[in-house]
Amino acid sequence: MAAPGWTAPGLWIRGSSQRRGSLFTLVSKPFCSTATASRPLDAQRLAERLRAQKQEQKAKERVPASPVQRRVRELVRFTQQLQRVHPNVLAKALSRGIVHQDKDLVVINKPYGLPVHGGPGVQLCISDVLPILAKILRGHKAEPLHLCHRLDKETTGVMVLAWEKEVAHQVQELFRTRQVTKKYWAITVRVPVPAAGVVDIPIIEKEVQGQQQHHKMTLSPSYRMDNGKMVRVRPSRNAHLAVTQYRVLSSTLSSALLELQPITGIKHQLRVHLAFGLDCPVLGDHKYSDWNRLAPQKLPVGILKKLGLPQSKARHVPLHLHARQLTLPALQSGKEELSLVCKPPLYFVRSLRHLGLGIPSQDQNGDEDAAHPGGR
């Protein structure tokens, strides 16, 4: 697997022992030498020196002979790189991946591993680069863009930004009142039965007792079995109504591609309903594949073989959950509703190919790699 298609090679990376954070660090050692102190470097010689350093770095990073080692290295690099790029580089990458732009909204295809808001351990997030992105799109005097909703750090896909705070509040109200139609794609471990249906089970957050105490969202069903009979139980006042519609787009014996439509918007709703409601966790969901512990997802032998990974390296598999489509009602009278579609990232498409999953022709919408898993 590899990083999403927009990631450009040769980005300045910070926070790594091999690639330090800025142009200054890369060239500070040559500048400190006595030769360069007496004779300044011109632009051409500086470029040649930097090019030589890059070639030396590439020589050190030789491609492993083992296919498994190559796959693991790709996954490790992919899951770590976005927290180490410069904010300007990230903003430019987001601008190249814009799905829609008008006088009110900017819609981006959110990359994997990038949190929307800051927090403990977060070096870079989308809210940090909104002022830079606005200046790229409208010039240096542009006001920062505003977030209209949020996606989990590991989730990719459609994300709506607004130029004005009032428009952002309007879109947020549409989300709150469930007027926005959302559709996700997910690759799951195992295949749900039946192939289409609705999961209508409340969700509650609980503390998990174990080697590491932590909190998870989990199911809080309104019924239980008592001597073979289904008995209604009193719902918890802390439980949230959660409804998810799903259908299988493609499947094999051990995995499936699902289209998910959350009717409600509870934290981690799709992941919880799939893992605990349908017993089909999202591929790469290392939090909700097991209730009692925090550990890498245990994958079936068939999936590991198709992905070219041993179980010991399954922790590097990213979450395969993609916000593919949003349909927004008209923001102003006389306007039409806005349907926004984002292609899945490259690692998602490659997993489809490796697992032998395809997409029905009516759902392709321009992504030929996803529709033809045997290609490329």
Side-chain angles (χ1 to χ4, degrees), residues 318-337:
L319 185 75
H320 286 66
L321 181 62
H322 176 67
R324 181 176 181 268
Q325 183 176 0
L326 278 182
T327 303
L328 284 172
L331 297 179
Q332 300 173 3
S333 60
K335 298 268 186 165
E336 296 183 353
E337 68 176 19

Side-chain angles (χ1 to χ4, degrees), residues 99 107-112 149 151 155-160 321-325 342-345:
V99 176
V107 182
I108 62 172
N109 191 347
K110 178 189 170 298
Y112 174 86
H149 62 115
L151 292 173
T155 304
T156 61
V158 183
M159 186 158 199
V160 182
L321 181 62
H322 176 67
R324 181 176 181 268
Q325 183 176 0
C342 277
K343 293 181 180 180

Side-chain angles (χ1 to χ4, degrees), residues 23-221:
L23 179 62
F24 175 75
T25 5
L26 286 172
V27 300
S28 59
K29 186 174 181 180
F31 273 131
C32 293
S33 65
T34 55
T36 55
S38 59
R39 186 176 57 185
L41 290 175
D42 58 24
Q44 182 177 355
R45 292 183 60 225
L46 176 60
E48 291 175 354
R49 181 160 297 184
L50 289 173
R51 195 176 300 115
Q53 289 179 354
K54 286 183 180 179
Q55 291 174 352
E56 291 177 5
Q57 183 68 32
K58 288 181 180 179
K60 293 178 182 178
E61 297 179 354
R62 291 196 177 97
V63 177
S66 167
V68 173
Q69 290 179 345
R70 288 199 300 269
R71 179 64 53 79
V72 170
R73 195 180 74 169
E74 286 176 1
L75 289 173
V76 171
R77 181 186 303 164
F78 168 66
T79 55
Q80 295 176 350
Q81 62 186 348
L82 280 176
Q83 284 294 299
R84 289 185 281 182
V85 300
H86 191 278
N88 290 349
V89 175
L90 177 58
K92 288 181 182 178
L94 293 178
S95 69
R96 289 193 295 268
I98 287 177
V99 176
H100 171 84
Q101 182 180 355
D102 57 33
K103 67 181 184 65
D104 295 317
L105 303 175
V106 174
V107 182
I108 62 172
N109 191 347
K110 178 189 170 298
Y112 174 86
L114 186 63
V116 175
H117 297 288
V122 174
Q123 300 176 30
L124 189 61
C125 62
I126 287 182
S127 60
D128 288 341
V129 301
L130 292 184
I132 306 172
L133 179 59
K135 286 178 172 57
I136 291 174
L137 299 178
R138 284 194 172 180
H140 291 291
K141 294 183 179 180
E143 294 294 324
L145 286 155
H146 301 274
L147 294 165
C148 295
H149 62 115
R150 62 178 300 164
L151 292 173
D152 290 342
K153 174 183 174 181
E154 297 87 359
T155 304
T156 61
V158 183
M159 186 158 199
V160 182
L161 311 171
W163 286 109
E164 302 293 338
K165 187 176 294 185
E166 292 75 15
V167 176
H169 289 163
Q170 186 179 356
V171 175
Q172 290 165 5
E173 183 66 13
L174 293 174
F175 275 94
R176 191 188 68 80
T177 55
R178 303 175 189 170
Q179 297 183 58
V180 180
T181 301
K182 299 172 284 186
K183 291 184 179 180
Y184 290 72
W185 277 354
I187 299 178
T188 62
V189 178
R190 295 183 289 275
V191 185
V193 177
V198 175
V199 181
D200 184 358
I201 308 175
I203 289 177
I204 191 172
E205 187 170 19
K206 288 186 176 180
E207 184 177 0
V208 182
Q209 302 295 331
Q211 293 182 347
Q212 295 176 278
Q213 286 191 343
H214 57 284
H215 288 81
K216 284 184 182 180
M217 307 301 287
T218 189
L219 302 178
S220 180

